[in-house]
Amino acid sequence: MSQLGTEAAPLRVAVVGAGPSGFYATEALLKSEIAAQVDLIERLPSPYGLVRSGVAPDHPKLKQSIEVYKKVAALEGFRFFGNVTVGKDVMPQELRDIYHAVIYTCGAETDRRLGIEGEDLAGSHTATEFVGWYNGHPDYRNREFDFSHETAVIIGQGNVAADVARILSKSVDELKHTDISQHALDALAESQIKTIAVVGRRGPAQAKFTTKELREFLELENCQAAIASEELALNEASQTEVADKKAGVVAAKNMAIFEKMAEDAEQSKVRTCRMMFCRSPIRIEGNGRIERVVLERNELSGEPFSQRASGTGETETLECGLLFRSIGYRGVPIEGVPFHDSWGVFPNQEGRITDGPDGAVVPGIYTAGWIKRGPSGIIGTNRACAVQTVESLMGDLSNLPADRAGTDALAKLLQERGVRSIDFPEWQRIDAEEVSRGEPKGKPREKFTRREEMLQILG
Amino acid sequence: MTTIVTDNCKGCRYTDCVTVCPVACFHYDDEMLYIDPDVCIDCSACIPECPVQAIYEEDDLPEDKQEWLEINAEKAPELPVIEEKMEPLPGADERKAALGF
C-alpha cells in the first residue's frame, strides 16, 4: 500500500459546503505538499455560499473574492458536486466510507430566536429570510414581506442588521444596478417605509457594526441616520472601553460616527434610520399580524469589555408593521454528525470534530468556518480558520483509513439514486447565463432564483 | 477606496494580517508589507489583526500618512505575494513596545 498523499494514493477529501470556508479548505488541501483530490459538495446548484447569497448586493467589491474561488476551482484535483444535499442525497457515514476525510463547512444557516411572545406573528421575520430573499436564494424565493407600513424595526446591531437596514433605506435608483433579485427590487419599489429603527441590547460602544458599514449610513441618498443625543451618554465602564488604545479602536471610531448622526438634524430626506440602544424586545403584539413591539430599557453593569445588559422594568412601545431579528446565527445539525445544541456548532478541537464539547475526537471528520467556531468574523477570517483545520488533518494522515475510492464512488452512488449533480463547467454555464440576463438592465447579473431554472439551462 | 499598510509595519512585519486576507493582496519586501489596491476588496479583516495598528482604511488614513497610499500602490505589484504567516523581523517585539503597543 502506497503512503497516503502520493500520486499513487492521493488523499481523497470531501468538503461539504461551497462557501468561503469550503473554498479556503479546498485551497489549503490542493496547494499543500501532498497529492490530494477534493470533492466540494454543495446543496445548491450554485457555489460561493454567503458571498453569493449573504453579502449585500450594494457591496459588489466584497464579492470579488469569487475570483479567488474560481482559481481554486481550476486547481488540479478539484471537483464540484452542486445540487447534492448531505444528509439526504448522501449520508455522512457514506462519505466516511468513500473518502479518507470529510470537512464540514456548512455555515450557520439559521437565526437565533428572541424567545418572546408574538415572535411568530405575521410580519415578524428573521434577517436570514430577508437577506436570502433579496439575494435570490432559492430557499427564500417565495417569502413575502409587507412594506406597506411606515415603520420597520430591526433587532440587533451587527453587520447583517446594518445590511437589512440599508437595503430598506435605499431608493430603487440606488439598488437597480446591483445584483439584487428583480422580485425584491419590484417589491421594494412599492415600499411605504419611512422609519427604520435599529435596536441594540447594549450601548453604542458595544454595537457590533464595523465602522465601514456604519459610515455608509451617512451617505444615503434618501435616508437620514438619526440618534437621540442622550443615547450616546456612556457610563464609566463604556468610557474605559472607548478609550482603550487597542480593544477600543473600533468602538471609538463608531462613536464618532454615531455623534455625527446625532448632530445631523436635517430631516428633509424621505426616510429616517434611527439607532436605538440599551433596549430589548420583550413582546410582539398584534391582531393576527405584528402591530407593535414592546421594548424594555436596559442598563449596563460589569467590568469594561464584559458589561451585561439587564432590564430596568421601564418599557416603551414602538408601532411597526415589520420586524426583523438579527441577533446571531446557528448551525443546523446533520444527522450522523455530532452537534452542540446550545452553541449551534459542530463541537471540535482545532477543527477535528469531537463527540460532544469535551468528547473524544471522531476520526476522519473535520470542520471549518461558522459551523466550527460560530458566526463571527468576516470572509477572510474563514481562511485562517480553514487553514488551521487542514493543518490538523495533515497531522492525522497516518491515522486515516487506507482504501477509499473517492470521486468515482460518489458519482456512481449519486447516479444510482437519480441525483442530478452539477459539476463546475455546468455551473459556469449557469453563471454566464445569469450575467447575460443582467446586461440589458445594467446589472452585473440577474440570478436564477429557482433550482429548476438552473437545471433547465443545462438541458 | 482601499486599505493601506503604513510605516508602523516597517521593522516589525508581524504578518498576522495575511492569514485573514481573503484575496491574497499582501506583498512583502525585507522591511514591511504592502497591499495591492487593485486586488484588495476592502473587507478590513486585516486591520484588527495588526499588533502595531499599521493598517488603515483609506477613509481613516491620518494626514501625515497620506504618502503610504501611493507607496502601497507602487510597490505591491512589483513584489512577491505573501499568503502565509512568516516570523516577525528580529527586534519586532522591542519595536512594538517602543510604539506603545
Side-chain angles (χ1 to χ4, degrees):
Chain A
M1 185 65 218
S2 318
Q3 197 193 337
L4 200 56
T6 57
E7 289 301 328
L11 173 71
R12 301 179 196 279
V13 182
V15 176
V16 180
S21 301
F23 273 98
Y24 292 125
T26 301
E27 180 182 39
L29 287 161
L30 293 179
K31 286 188 175 171
S32 72
E33 284 163 11
I34 67 161
Q37 291 186 342
V38 180
D39 292 345
L40 183 55
I41 304 172
E42 165 60 45
R43 70 182 181 88
L44 292 179
S46 53
Y48 312 137
L50 285 180
V51 174
R52 177 176 163 98
S53 65
V55 171
D58 57 344
H59 286 166
K61 211 167 178 191
L62 283 175
K63 297 186 197 224
Q64 285 173 20
S65 58
I66 286 175
E67 297 307 314
V68 171
Y69 311 145
K70 284 187 193 165
K71 284 184 196 159
V72 173
L75 293 171
E76 205 186 320
F78 176 86
R79 176 89 183 249
F80 181 62
F81 283 90
N83 204 32
V84 175
T85 303
V86 173
K88 186 181 125 229
D89 298 323
V90 56
M91 293 301 156
Q93 186 57 50
E94 291 170 326
L95 291 180
R96 288 177 67 181
D97 293 339
I98 292 174
Y99 295 92
H100 296 116
V102 184
I103 306 179
Y104 287 92
T105 55
C106 37
E109 287 204 274
T110 188
D111 294 65
R112 288 192 181 277
R113 291 181 62 84
L114 296 164
I116 60 172
E117 191 187 322
E119 186 165 11
D120 295 318
L121 277 174
S124 164
H125 306 275
T126 66
T128 298
E129 290 171 81
F130 184 57
V131 170
W133 174 77
Y134 66 62
N135 274 327
H137 191 298
D139 288 1
Y140 305 101
R141 172 64 178 87
N142 294 330
R143 293 292 202 281
E144 283 179 18
F145 302 95
D146 183 354
F147 305 113
S148 68
H149 305 267
E150 291 209 343
T151 303
V153 174
I154 298 158
I155 306 296
Q157 291 189 326
N159 282 343
V160 178
D163 286 343
V164 170
R166 206 178 57 256
I167 296 297
L168 291 173
S169 300
K170 281 196 166 180
S171 65
V172 168
D173 281 346
E174 287 171 288
L175 293 172
K176 68 183 180 192
H177 296 305
T178 71
D179 70 0
I180 190 168
S181 288
Q182 192 61 45
H183 63 261
L185 196 60
D186 293 343
L188 287 165
E190 304 298 319
S191 170
Q192 301 299 311
I193 293 173
K194 299 275 185 293
T195 304
I196 299 130
V198 185
V199 180
R201 186 169 51 96
R202 299 196 290 167
Q206 291 81 31
K208 295 284 184 199
F209 305 117
T210 57
T211 309
K212 188 194 298 293
E213 287 254 353
L214 207 48
R215 205 177 271 135
E216 289 179 66
F217 284 92
L218 299 174
E219 290 151 11
L220 298 173
E221 231 168 72
N222 260 6
C223 183
Q224 180 73 40
I227 298 180
S229 53
E230 65 269 19
E231 297 239 18
L232 298 180
L234 299 182
N235 66 8
E236 206 172 306
S238 295
Q239 287 177 29
T240 308
E241 290 178 18
V242 172
D244 191 292
K245 204 178 158 196
K246 281 189 77 176
V249 180
V250 175
K253 284 198 275 185
N254 285 358
M255 281 304 292
I257 295 171
F258 287 141
E259 268 155 30
K260 251 187 213 158
M261 291 178 177
E263 278 164 25
D264 229 349
E266 187 208 346
Q267 292 296 338
S268 59
K269 293 183 179 175
V270 185
R271 292 182 179 137
T272 303
C273 180
R274 182 167 293 281
M275 300 286 168
M276 298 172 74
F277 303 102
C278 287
R279 290 170 176 87
S280 293
I282 54 170
R283 196 165 60 249
I284 297 170
E285 298 176 346
N287 188 7
R289 60 164 293 119
I290 182 171
E291 290 170 25
R292 67 195 75 84
V293 56
V294 180
L295 302 172
E296 182 178 17
R297 287 274 193 164
N298 294 329
E299 60 187 2
L300 299 180
S301 59
E303 295 299 307
F305 299 109
S306 55
Q307 293 190 80
R308 301 182 76 90
S310 48
T312 61
E314 187 192 336
T315 61
E316 65 191 296
T317 301
L318 209 53
E319 301 292 324
C320 60
L322 194 57
L323 179 140
F324 297 102
R325 63 174 188 265
S326 178
I327 54 163
Y329 300 85
R330 34 186 295 120
V332 176
I334 297 178
E335 205 186 325
V337 183
F339 187 72
H340 189 298
D341 197 50
S342 56
W343 297 347
V345 300
F346 292 166
N348 69 91
Q349 289 169 14
E350 297 181 334
R352 297 176 178 96
I353 293 182
T354 57
D355 193 13
D358 299 311
V361 168
V362 184
I365 58 173
Y366 300 82
T367 182
W370 278 7
I371 192 66
K372 167 185 172 186
R373 60 177 208 283
S376 66
I378 48 185
I379 300 172
T381 319
N382 296 302
R383 189 161 84 88
C385 180
V387 165
Q388 182 200 48
T389 296
V390 169
E391 278 170 6
S392 295
L393 194 162
M394 292 297 176
D396 298 343
L397 278 192
S398 55
N399 298 325
L400 294 176
D403 289 324
R404 288 297 185 265
T407 312
D408 294 344
L410 179 66
K412 182 161 170 277
L413 186 143
L414 293 172
Q415 202 181 15
E416 284 167 6
R417 290 178 184 171
V419 177
R420 169 63 166 103
S421 68
I422 287 180
D423 64 20
F424 207 75
E426 286 178 320
W427 155 250
Q428 286 171 311
R429 282 165 56 198
I430 299 170
D431 181 45
E433 189 60 31
E434 286 188 346
V435 171
S436 66
R437 273 161 39 114
E439 251 167 55
K441 303 175 186 171
K443 298 174 75 173
R445 72 176 59 235
E446 186 64 56
K447 288 176 196 164
F448 290 107
T449 57
R450 300 185 199 279
R451 289 180 176 80
E452 310 80 70
E453 291 176 323
M454 297 196 200
L455 294 173
Q456 254 170 25
I457 296 296
L458 305 175
Chain B
M1 266 288 285
T2 183
T3 311
I4 300 123
V5 187
T6 65
D7 47 350
N8 269 18
C9 184
K10 227 174 193 174
C12 292
R13 215 184 60 185
Y14 277 99
T15 70
D16 299 76
C17 50
V18 306
T19 67
V20 299
C21 179
V23 292
C25 71
F26 282 94
H27 297 248
Y28 71 105
D29 65 14
D30 293 342
E31 288 186 312
M32 62 178 281
L33 303 181
Y34 308 87
I35 289 174
D36 184 340
D38 290 335
V39 179
C40 171
I41 59 171
D42 295 342
C43 76
S44 305
C46 53
I47 295 173
E49 297 296 321
C50 179
V52 290
Q53 294 179 18
I55 313 175
Y56 292 86
E57 282 171 31
E58 192 176 337
D59 280 353
D60 288 335
L61 194 64
E63 211 41 56
D64 61 344
K65 293 189 191 290
Q66 289 293 328
E67 59 178 321
W68 290 96
L69 185 60
E70 209 178 312
I71 298 175
N72 276 253
E74 270 178 16
K75 289 248 188 186
E78 295 168 359
L79 292 165
V81 171
I82 166 171
E83 291 188 70
E84 287 171 32
K85 192 170 162 47
M86 293 194 293
E87 279 297 307
L89 293 174
D93 288 348
E94 291 76 19
R95 189 174 137 77
K96 179 181 159 201
L99 288 168
F101 294 105

